[in-house]
Amino acid sequence: MKTINLAGKLARISSHWDPHVIADYNDNDVMVVKFQGAFPFHLHEDTDDFFLVLKGEMVMELEDEAHPVKAGEIFVVPKGVTHRPRADQECEVLLIEPKGVPNTGDPATAAAKPRI
């Protein structure tokens, strides 16, 4: 057991849309990532998608609505809902996903999730 410094982990990431695993929680990966621009629309058939904005602001776009999500706020996308996060300026986000879930919903297009 040890503490994990989120700012220190995020300082090691220079890319966008590239989640990095920082901890394990039950059968989940706890990850940090930097967003800038728009991620492709996608969905997760079997799992919800958890986002906690640590710094900055993002917009969670759904098929017919958009929700601003500011630092200190959480947004959970229910399974089966098409969505995409977007950030006009760089923002820092903590994600929690079941191990092995591709971030795009499709293993063929998913980013690797290196551990830092």
Coordinates of all heavy atoms in Angstrom, one line a residue, residues 25-29 97-99:
Y25 N -8.1 -1.3 -8.6 CA -9.2 -1.2 -7.6 C -10.2 -2.4 -7.9 O -10.9 -2.3 -9.0 CB -9.9 0.1 -7.7 CG -11.1 0.3 -6.9 CD1 -11.0 0.4 -5.5 CD2 -12.4 0.3 -7.4 CE1 -12.1 0.5 -4.7 CE2 -13.5 0.5 -6.6 CZ -13.3 0.6 -5.2 OH -14.5 0.7 -4.4
N26 N -10.2 -3.4 -7.1 CA -10.9 -4.6 -7.3 C -10.5 -5.1 -8.7 O -9.4 -5.3 -9.0 CB -12.4 -4.4 -7.2 CG -12.8 -4.1 -5.7 OD1 -12.3 -4.7 -4.8 ND2 -13.7 -3.2 -5.5
D27 N -11.5 -5.3 -9.6 CA -11.1 -5.7 -11.0 C -11.1 -4.6 -12.0 O -11.4 -4.7 -13.2 CB -12.1 -6.8 -11.4 CG -11.9 -8.1 -10.7 OD1 -10.7 -8.4 -10.3 OD2 -12.9 -8.8 -10.4
N28 N -10.8 -3.4 -11.5 CA -10.8 -2.2 -12.3 C -9.4 -1.6 -12.4 O -8.5 -1.7 -11.5 CB -11.7 -1.1 -11.7 CG -13.1 -1.6 -11.6 OD1 -13.8 -1.7 -12.6 ND2 -13.6 -1.8 -10.4
D29 N -9.2 -0.9 -13.5 CA -8.0 0.0 -13.7 C -8.3 1.4 -13.3 O -9.4 1.9 -13.8 CB -7.5 0.0 -15.2 CG -6.9 -1.3 -15.6 OD1 -6.2 -2.0 -14.8 OD2 -7.1 -1.7 -16.8
E97 N -12.2 1.9 -15.1 CA -12.8 1.0 -16.0 C -12.4 -0.4 -15.6 O -11.3 -0.7 -15.1 CB -12.2 1.2 -17.4 CG -12.5 2.5 -18.1 CD -12.0 2.6 -19.5 OE1 -11.0 1.8 -19.8 OE2 -12.4 3.4 -20.3
P98 N -13.3 -1.4 -15.9 CA -12.9 -2.8 -15.6 C -11.7 -3.1 -16.4 O -11.5 -2.7 -17.6 CB -14.2 -3.6 -16.1 CG -15.3 -2.6 -16.0 CD -14.7 -1.2 -16.3
K99 N -10.8 -3.9 -15.9 CA -9.6 -4.4 -16.6 C -10.0 -5.0 -17.9 O -11.0 -5.7 -18.0 CB -8.8 -5.4 -15.7 CG -8.2 -4.7 -14.5 CD -7.4 -5.8 -13.8 CE -6.8 -5.1 -12.5 NZ -5.9 -4.0 -12.8

